[in-house]
């Protein structure tokens, strides 16, 4: 059996608490990152991604404690993203038990940071998060651009070129989010996903738009993604990770059983 | 009851390794994370993890003056190598334009990119080899106790161990080439994957290590 395609639930964490309504009836505290992470591990999640959405920088240390607590009880890879701007931040998170860190805005404003980070801690720990939006009009050849600030600010950077550049700077993986699809539940932007996956030699995680299990399978089969990330379909109990895996396996996709 | 030393030479985070071992250890087991040669020498069992580039690992071992301590441990007591802790047991690595390693075993460490086509097509592969892949058990071993054939373990690496000594190979994994993902001889068991990140299967392996007497006898 070849390398399994990964399913990665993503948790938003604000000041140490899981937010955006994770609804599980069988855990005591749905806001506790440890409980939620344990639950996903039991269901067969291949990794867990935490997105630190804490607005105040005073609460940065809170995320480190969250990672420590989760890593002491949940033994699958953990990725942490959100607000990472210094190599020191990365070190602290890795020492707390994170396996990878996601760099987003900081990479756009200072690509050298990706290089410094990967030189220090190794490419395998560096996930560059790319938020892309389609900028070509109907009938034109497809083109996507990198946006920051939740998709509000264009950067002028071409998504494909940027992904390749990030690979050259030492990214070990790309977390690709379609800002057109994020939150829509209509499925990944498969053309974007495929274009990026074919443009780089490092793994690509597809994100943004998952509403059904078929979307997850399409991300791998059509989008050529190496992993698929989703939040709400798992959090609200619409589907379990196990159901997602069974579905993908039925579609001929290799998943970890 | 064991006294287990996890070797700290500044390469990668050892928190997860220590926590996973603690998680499966008994209340009478002692687990220390140490770079102290005397403590390593005095321990009953040794775990040798590692992350990062071969050159950095080898210079860190030199800097901490731990090379002979590690070779001695690998010759004497139950020894678990993880990731770079497996690779540097070989003679040399292709990484960083060639790095001499500890040479406990004959064989070398090779770059995936020279042995497969990198890409996203049907017969091409992404590098690093990142994610969950199967280990095919190539010999019966106490550390495989209660672990099914073809179990999934978590891998993250761009280089793999190649050895012509087939009796050394305890597990293989396919990623382009089929490579030695686990080697074992006498009291040494070393794996490319991360048991501390391989969920229940990985915890079982660590548990088996804690209970291992260092022999190859399968009960």
């Amino acid at each position: 059996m070849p390398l399994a395609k990964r399913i990665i639930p993503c948790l938003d964490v604000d000041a140490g608490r899981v937010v955006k309504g994770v609804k599980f009836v069988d855990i005591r505290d749905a806001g506790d990152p440890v409980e939620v992470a344990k639950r996903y591990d039991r269901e067969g999640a291949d990794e867990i991604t935490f997105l630190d959405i804490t607005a105040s920088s005073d609460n940065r240390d809170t995320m480190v404690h969250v990672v420590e607590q989760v890593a002491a009880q949940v033994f699958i890879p953990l990725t942490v993203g959100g607000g990472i701007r210094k190599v020191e931040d990365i070190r602290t998170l890795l020492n707390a038990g994170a396996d990878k860190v996601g760099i987003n805005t900081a990479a756009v404003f200072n690509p050298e940071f990706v290089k410094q980070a990967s030189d220090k801690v190794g490419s395998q720990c560096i996930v560059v998060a790319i938020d892309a939006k389609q900028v070509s009009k109907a009938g034109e050849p497809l083109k996507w651009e990198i946006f920051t600030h939740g998709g509000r600010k264009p950067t002028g950077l071409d998504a494909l070129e940027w992904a390749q550049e990030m690979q050259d700077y030492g990214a070990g993986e790309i977390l690709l989010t379609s800002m057109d699809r994020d939150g829509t539940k209509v499925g990944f932007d498969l053309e974007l996903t495929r274009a990026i996956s074919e443009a780089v030699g490092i793994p690509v995680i597809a994100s943004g738009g998952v509403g059904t299990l078929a979307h997850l399978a399409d991300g791998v089969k059509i989008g050529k993604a190496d992993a698929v990330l989703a939040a709400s379909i798992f959090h609200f109990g619409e589907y379990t990770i196990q159901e997602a895996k069974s579905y993908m396996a039925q579609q001929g996709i290799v998943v970890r059983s | 009851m064991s006294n287990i030393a996890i070797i700290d030479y500044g390469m990668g985070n050892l928190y997860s390794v220590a926590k996973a071992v603690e998680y499966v250890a008994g209340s009478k087991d002692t687990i220390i994370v140490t770079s102290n040669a005397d403590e390593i020498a005095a321990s009953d069992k040794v775990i040798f993890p590692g992350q990062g580039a071969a050159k950095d690992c080898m210079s860190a071992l030199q800097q901490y003056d731990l090379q002979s301590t590690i070779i001695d441990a690998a010759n004497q007591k139950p020894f678990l190598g993880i990731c770079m802790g497996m690779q540097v047991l070989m003679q040399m690595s292709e990484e960083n334009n060639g790095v001499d390693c500890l040479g406990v075993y004959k064989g070398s460490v090779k770059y995936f990119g020279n042995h497969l086509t990198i890409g996203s097509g049907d017969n091409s592969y992404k590098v690093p080899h990142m994610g969950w892949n199967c280990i095919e058990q190539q010999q019966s071993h106490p550390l495989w106790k209660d672990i099914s054939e073809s179990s999934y373990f978590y891998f993250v690496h761009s280089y793999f161990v190649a050895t012509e000594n087939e009796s050394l190979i305890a597990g293989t994994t396919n990623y382009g080439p089929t490579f030695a993902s686990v080697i074992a001889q006498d009291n040494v068991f070393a794996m490319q994957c991360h048991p501390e990140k391989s969920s229940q299967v990985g915890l079982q392996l660590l548990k088996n290590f804690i209970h291992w007497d260092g022999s190859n006898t399968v009960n």
Side-chain angles (χ1 to χ4, degrees):
Chain A
M1 294 291 256
L3 184 67
K5 299 297 179 184
R6 288 168 278 154
I7 298 183
I8 307 172
C10 177
L11 299 168
D12 286 359
V13 177
D14 186 2
R17 299 282 294 168
V18 176
V19 293
K20 284 200 189 166
V22 174
K23 285 182 186 164
F24 289 136
V25 289
D26 56 341
I27 57 179
R28 277 172 298 150
D29 179 2
D32 179 1
V34 178
E35 292 231 20
V36 178
K38 272 184 169 174
R39 154 77 184 239
Y40 280 133
D41 175 29
R42 277 201 304 275
E43 280 186 13
D46 296 306
E47 293 182 24
I48 297 174
T49 291
F50 293 100
L51 185 61
D52 186 5
I53 59 166
T54 310
S56 157
S57 56
D58 301 348
N59 284 323
R60 283 271 160 240
D61 291 347
T62 314
M63 195 62 211
V64 177
H65 296 308
V66 166
V67 173
E68 270 176 1
Q69 284 165 12
V70 174
Q73 296 189 56
V74 178
F75 300 101
I76 58 176
L78 307 174
T79 302
V80 182
I84 292 164
R85 291 193 168 75
K86 292 183 301 217
V87 174
E88 208 182 301
D89 299 340
I90 297 176
R91 285 252 164 152
T92 307
L93 287 165
L94 296 179
N95 286 336
D99 298 277
K100 305 182 236 183
V101 293
I103 304 175
N104 189 348
T105 315
V108 174
F109 293 114
N110 178 17
E112 280 294 324
F113 175 55
V114 174
K115 188 164 173 29
Q116 286 165 10
S118 65
D119 281 350
K120 274 282 176 217
V121 300
S123 288
Q124 78 282 353
C125 300
I126 304 298
V127 182
V128 171
I130 292 182
D131 293 345
K133 247 189 196 182
Q134 188 177 327
V135 289
S136 52
K137 298 195 173 61
E140 289 176 3
L142 287 167
K143 190 172 162 60
W144 299 269
E145 191 177 317
I146 304 299
F147 278 68
T148 60
H149 298 83
R152 293 193 306 277
K153 289 195 182 174
T155 63
L157 297 163
D158 177 77
L160 264 63
E161 287 171 16
W162 179 246
Q164 286 167 333
E165 199 177 330
M166 286 298 95
Q167 169 177 271
D168 295 342
Y169 273 84
E173 194 166 43
I174 283 172
L175 168 57
L176 174 67
T177 303
S178 160
M179 298 313 287
D180 298 310
R181 300 300 177 90
D182 204 26
T184 64
K185 298 199 143 206
V186 298
F188 295 121
D189 181 338
L190 296 172
E191 281 159 321
L192 167 68
T193 308
R194 185 173 182 137
I196 299 281
S197 192
E198 287 178 345
V200 296
I202 52 178
V204 172
I205 305 166
S207 160
V210 175
T212 68
L213 298 183
H215 292 156
L216 294 174
D218 288 346
V220 171
K221 289 179 81 167
I222 304 169
K224 302 276 175 195
D226 301 281
V228 287
L229 179 139
S232 56
I233 66 159
F234 298 129
H235 299 338
F236 297 118
E238 288 168 52
Y239 302 101
T240 63
I241 306 272
Q242 203 50 56
E243 283 165 352
K245 286 195 164 179
S246 304
Y247 180 84
M248 286 169 79
Q250 283 164 18
Q251 301 294 306
I253 297 167
V254 177
V255 290
R256 174 175 69 109
S257 46
Chain B
M1 188 172 75
S2 311
N3 178 356
I4 301 160
I6 300 172
I7 302 177
D8 179 9
Y9 54 113
M11 294 307 292
N13 91 73
L14 305 182
Y15 182 86
S16 301
V17 178
K19 288 294 166 188
V21 175
E22 280 171 19
Y23 195 82
V24 294
S27 55
K28 290 181 178 168
D29 297 315
T30 318
I31 294 130
I32 50 166
V33 176
T34 180
S35 46
N36 181 305
D38 294 336
E39 286 185 341
I40 296 165
S43 67
D44 305 318
K45 295 185 169 83
V46 164
I47 297 178
F48 180 40
Q51 259 183 24
K55 192 178 165 189
D56 294 341
C57 278
M58 286 309 295
S59 27
L61 288 176
Q62 234 158 14
Q63 197 190 323
Y64 283 81
D65 196 17
L66 282 174
Q67 288 174 303
S68 60
T69 307
I70 288 164
I71 294 169
D72 287 349
N75 284 327
Q76 286 165 9
K77 54 184 114 187
F79 184 102
L80 178 64
I82 298 173
C83 194
M84 277 310 289
M86 171 196 195
Q87 294 188 4
V88 298
L89 295 178
M90 309 314 287
Q91 290 166 303
M92 68 86 63
S93 170
E94 280 181 3
E95 200 171 4
N96 312 117
N97 299 316
V99 175
D100 285 331
C101 296
L102 295 174
V104 176
Y105 299 111
K106 281 190 181 165
S108 62
V109 182
K110 298 183 170 176
Y111 179 53
F112 270 121
N114 298 335
H115 300 270
L116 49 72
T117 309
I118 297 179
S120 62
D122 287 344
N123 290 307
S124 50
Y125 300 82
K126 299 292 181 81
V127 175
H129 173 218
M130 183 186 285
W132 298 78
N133 206 336
C134 301
I135 296 182
E136 309 302 334
Q137 299 170 15
Q138 301 298 332
Q139 46 173 274
S140 58
H141 194 283
L143 264 62
W144 291 139
K145 183 172 180 262
D146 295 331
I147 294 175
S148 319
E149 181 63 53
S150 307
S151 285
Y152 277 100
F153 283 85
Y154 186 74
F155 289 83
V156 187
H157 61 127
S158 300
Y159 291 78
F160 64 95
V161 165
T163 177
E164 284 171 15
N165 180 359
E166 297 223 343
S167 67
L168 197 60
I169 299 173
T172 55
T173 296
N174 182 270
Y175 195 66
T178 295
F179 66 96
S181 47
V182 185
I183 57 172
Q185 192 171 76
D186 304 326
N187 55 303
V188 174
F189 191 91
M191 55 201 324
Q192 180 61 62
C193 60
H194 290 270
E196 78 280 11
K197 288 289 168 182
S198 297
S199 198
Q200 293 309 313
V201 171
L203 293 173
Q204 181 64 47
L205 189 125
L206 292 172
K207 195 172 170 184
N208 294 343
F209 177 72
I210 292 172
H211 295 274
W212 188 31
D213 64 2
S215 77
N216 268 358
T217 318
V218 177
N219 295 320

